[in-house]
Amino acid sequence: MKLFASLLIMIGTVCGALAAATAYLAPLSLEDDRLIGLTLDAPAGQTPSEGAPERDPLTPASSQALGSPSRTPIAGKGAELTSELLIELRAAGVERVRVTEFSFGRWPGKWAFLGSAAALLVGAMMLRSGAKAAPAAQGESPAQGGAEALDHAERMLDALRQRLELPGGPDLHAITDVLGEVQAGPIAAFIADRPALIAKIGLAGYARVMDRFAAFERSVNRGWSAATDGATDEAMACVERAPVLLAEAKQALAG
């Protein structure tokens, strides 16, 4: 399913981009009242320059480059479409012109674009459904790993704070040891649980949780660095601040 969904998204992206390129092309097969007054965004049509030979009728018009020495555009960029200009362009075999104004009704590739958007939506829903199904197949709730990691970190920090309250003053070695374990254990586990968390609470919810979790992670990292450098006051401040930020991350995950 994942491979098919990825292929569907790729096809939708390519077809959508090609269809979007036609958004400002106006077919001259439309009625005059839907074209008159539009402004050309590129030169349209070709006409022989004075003294230049006429085009060989057996040679496709597309093979004769616009703006070549022997041919000039019928109308230049910025020209306004009039009934007379439309007659001249149609007589020259011009089928579409590029204009500055957008109209969904004139858009020749609108249905291809809408189909591509539908393909992208279906592909994204299939990927999301697959992400939800993977944790469920393992017999656990999608966000179980992340929530347990935060609980584990909370218990480790509580134990550290109780240890630091014992007589003898701040123990910088204990701070580096415990915060190092928090970095390698709960923090790494929570980050690794990203796909399951997104499947459970969505990208917006995950962003809210990560905003608070990132602040908690920075506090832990700073506390470890301060303890390693012997900055006792800063290390102790981080040890006190980290649980508060962790509680905010847990609240965001629960909400």
Side-chain angles (χ1 to χ4, degrees):
M1 176 185 290
K2 184 177 180 180
L3 178 61
F4 178 75
S6 300
L7 182 62
L8 197 62
I9 290 176
M10 182 181 68
I11 293 175
T13 301
V14 173
C15 293
L18 293 175
T22 68
Y24 289 88
L25 289 181
L28 296 189
S29 58
L30 297 174
E31 296 83 357
D32 285 7
D33 57 356
R34 298 179 60 185
L35 298 172
I36 292 175
L38 299 180
T39 304
L40 292 178
D41 194 36
Q46 296 180 6
T47 183
S49 300
E50 184 177 353
E54 292 291 335
R55 179 177 69 86
D56 184 352
L58 299 179
T59 303
S62 59
S63 67
Q64 301 191 28
L66 182 63
S68 64
S70 62
R71 308 193 69 80
T72 58
I74 294 175
K77 180 178 179 179
E80 181 178 328
L81 289 179
T82 62
S83 57
E84 294 79 8
L85 182 55
L86 289 173
I87 293 173
E88 187 175 359
L89 290 172
R90 288 165 178 157
V94 178
E95 297 179 354
R96 295 180 179 87
V97 293
R98 183 168 296 277
V99 296
T100 58
E101 300 87 352
F102 172 77
S103 171
F104 187 79
R106 289 195 307 267
W107 186 6
K110 56 181 176 291
W111 299 118
F113 183 85
L114 292 176
S116 300
L120 288 172
L121 180 61
V122 171
M125 291 177 64
M126 291 176 65
L127 287 178
R128 182 177 179 128
S129 176
K132 286 183 178 180
Q138 300 172 6
E140 60 180 75
S141 62
Q144 185 177 4
E148 285 187 346
L150 296 186
D151 290 339
H152 187 196
E154 186 176 45
R155 292 191 295 269
M156 295 176 70
L157 291 175
D158 286 343
L160 174 62
R161 294 172 70 188
Q162 293 175 10
R163 180 175 175 180
L164 294 176
E165 291 174 357
L166 297 176
D171 187 346
L172 295 182
H173 291 294
I175 294 176
T176 56
D177 289 344
V178 174
L179 293 188
E181 292 177 5
V182 172
Q183 291 170 326
I187 288 179
F190 185 85
I191 295 174
D193 203 46
R194 177 179 180 272
L197 286 170
I198 293 177
K200 174 66 183 299
I201 61 180
L203 282 173
Y206 181 76
R208 289 192 296 270
V209 173
M210 284 305 297
D211 179 62
R212 304 318 307 154
F213 177 81
F216 160 68
E217 183 183 10
R218 287 194 298 270
S219 182
V220 170
N221 294 341
R222 183 164 184 165
W224 182 89
S225 298
T228 302
D229 295 338
T232 303
D233 292 342
E234 179 64 21
M236 291 296 293
C238 291
V239 170
E240 293 297 324
R241 184 166 55 247
V244 177
L245 298 173
L246 176 59
E248 294 178 357
K250 293 183 62 177
Q251 183 178 3
L253 180 61

